[in-house]
Amino acid sequence: MALRTSTTERQRRLGAELRKLREQAGYSVTEGGEFIGMGRAHLGHVEAGRTAIPAEKLRTLCHSYGCTREPLIDALVAMGEDSGKGWWTEYRRTLSQPVLDLAELEAAADALFSYESLFIPGVLQTPEYTRSIFRSSERPHDDLERAVQFRMERQQILTQPEPPTLHAVIHEAALHVRFGGAAVMRRQLLHLIRMAELPHITIQVLPFTAEGLSAFSTPFLLVHSHGSALETVLVEDPAATIYVNESDAVLPYRTRFDRLRAASLPPLDPAVPASTHEARDSLALLQHLIYNLQEA
């Protein structure tokens, strides 16, 4: 039994879900292994994400634990059968594993819910805006153009034949921070309007005037995947990328996003006639900022 020397977030998540089902059923690792003719150490490695488990054994294990949620079992089988060899594997030598894990997570997504306080979400950025962010970073990339290219390739999920839905809430502050200068920001804001024309993309602006919410709460990305059978929250911390998978821990982020969405201006809707934008909404705000950038 060859063990992986390093594990991806997908592999760790699969193992963690199997361990959670076992513990909820009240079985030990030894007892769990007996259900599928697997030794204690072997199942321990599966639960740690260090080795694979055949689909048939995985299904038997889940059923033995009393799991009746077939969508969840199907999702776990899909995770186990996934080779993990997507377009992002070409970047293994130049980018860190957490960055690659994000691309793999997005590739499996059914729906993305993003909140950003100081930046435009990565999947909605223009190349020059991204480049400016990387150049201003305290930890610049060794290969800046390679990093920019990677972020642009991540955006392909939004234009593929069956894209995930994306609902992005962007704090108004992110629209004022001029990464790359006025011209770059103007093109970035115009790009947001163009992306909002896609039927599966919803973009809202959380204004400075929003009440009842902290001005700059921690940005996060909530991901539904595998037919929404699995939920994952990604939180960017200065020291590390944190993945939140436990349902009790995910729930506050779901609630948080609902509050942010409710406090935000109505979504960008370029198809709505201009006369309807007399009231303040996300599109009217962006158009105002774009006008000001022309004067800068």
Side-chain angles (χ1 to χ4, degrees):
M1 177 181 61
L3 300 180
R4 299 172 177 129
T5 56
S6 62
T7 57
T8 67
E9 178 59 28
R10 173 182 53 80
Q11 293 163 344
R12 291 190 293 270
R13 175 69 184 277
L14 173 60
E17 290 292 332
L18 292 176
R19 182 176 66 252
K20 180 167 63 176
L21 289 176
R22 175 179 59 76
E23 292 175 344
Q24 289 174 343
Y27 293 110
S28 67
V29 182
T30 300
E31 291 170 327
E34 289 175 351
F35 286 126
I36 54 175
M38 188 176 286
R40 180 181 186 280
H42 192 168
L43 182 56
H45 288 312
V46 169
E47 291 185 351
R50 289 190 290 266
T51 192
I53 177 173
E56 183 178 347
K57 288 183 179 291
L58 193 156
R59 288 188 183 277
T60 299
L61 196 61
C62 291
H63 291 145
S64 299
Y65 290 157
C67 180
T68 58
R69 297 166 55 194
E70 290 301 325
L72 173 60
I73 296 174
D74 290 341
L76 298 180
V77 169
M79 291 175 73
E81 293 181 332
D82 195 332
S83 68
K85 295 181 179 179
W87 62 265
W88 53 87
T89 58
E90 298 180 7
Y91 293 83
R92 282 178 175 170
R93 294 185 179 181
T94 55
L95 298 177
S96 65
Q97 188 60 49
V99 176
L100 304 180
D101 285 340
L102 171 58
E104 185 174 11
L105 179 65
E106 290 174 335
D110 304 310
L112 302 165
F113 303 89
S114 172
Y115 169 64
E116 285 287 352
S117 57
L118 292 175
F119 301 97
I120 304 300
V123 291
L124 295 173
Q125 293 177 4
T126 63
E128 52 193 355
Y129 178 88
T130 298
R131 191 174 293 110
S132 178
I133 290 176
F134 287 158
R135 282 174 175 162
S136 63
S137 172
E138 295 179 357
R139 293 180 298 174
H141 289 273
D142 294 333
D143 190 339
L144 184 145
E145 290 307 316
R146 186 77 166 156
V148 172
Q149 180 182 354
F150 179 85
R151 183 161 294 183
M152 295 304 105
E153 289 200 52
R154 279 177 50 205
Q155 299 179 5
Q156 293 178 3
I157 61 168
L158 298 179
T159 54
Q160 63 190 14
E162 296 183 7
T165 59
L166 168 65
H167 194 142
V169 172
I170 307 172
H171 197 285
E172 184 178 348
L175 310 180
H176 289 271
V177 181
R178 294 188 180 185
F179 286 105
V184 170
M185 280 305 302
R186 180 176 181 276
R187 286 190 288 271
Q188 174 62 73
L189 297 184
L190 288 170
H191 180 66
L192 286 181
I193 295 175
R194 285 192 292 269
M195 294 302 290
E197 294 175 354
L198 299 177
H200 56 284
I201 295 179
T202 302
I203 301 174
Q204 288 181 269
V205 176
L206 180 67
F208 286 121
T209 54
E211 298 181 2
L213 294 169
S214 56
F216 301 104
S217 58
T218 304
F220 63 90
L221 175 67
L222 171 60
V223 181
H224 290 183
S225 64
H226 299 86
S228 296
L230 295 174
E231 290 183 305
T232 303
V233 175
L234 185 147
V235 182
E236 289 287 353
D237 183 86
T241 300
I242 302 171
Y243 284 88
V244 179
N245 300 316
E246 293 291 337
S247 56
D248 290 345
V250 170
L251 179 58
Y253 287 96
R254 229 186 296 137
T255 303
R256 180 74 176 171
F257 190 84
D258 287 340
R259 290 185 62 201
L260 290 164
R261 174 170 51 189
S264 296
L265 300 173
L268 297 182
D269 189 355
V272 173
S275 60
T276 66
H277 294 293
E278 294 178 1
R280 195 173 188 227
D281 61 9
S282 295
L283 180 59
L285 176 57
L286 257 70
Q287 289 173 331
H288 173 70
L289 292 173
I290 291 169
Y291 176 80
N292 287 342
L293 288 169
Q294 286 178 310
E295 301 297 316

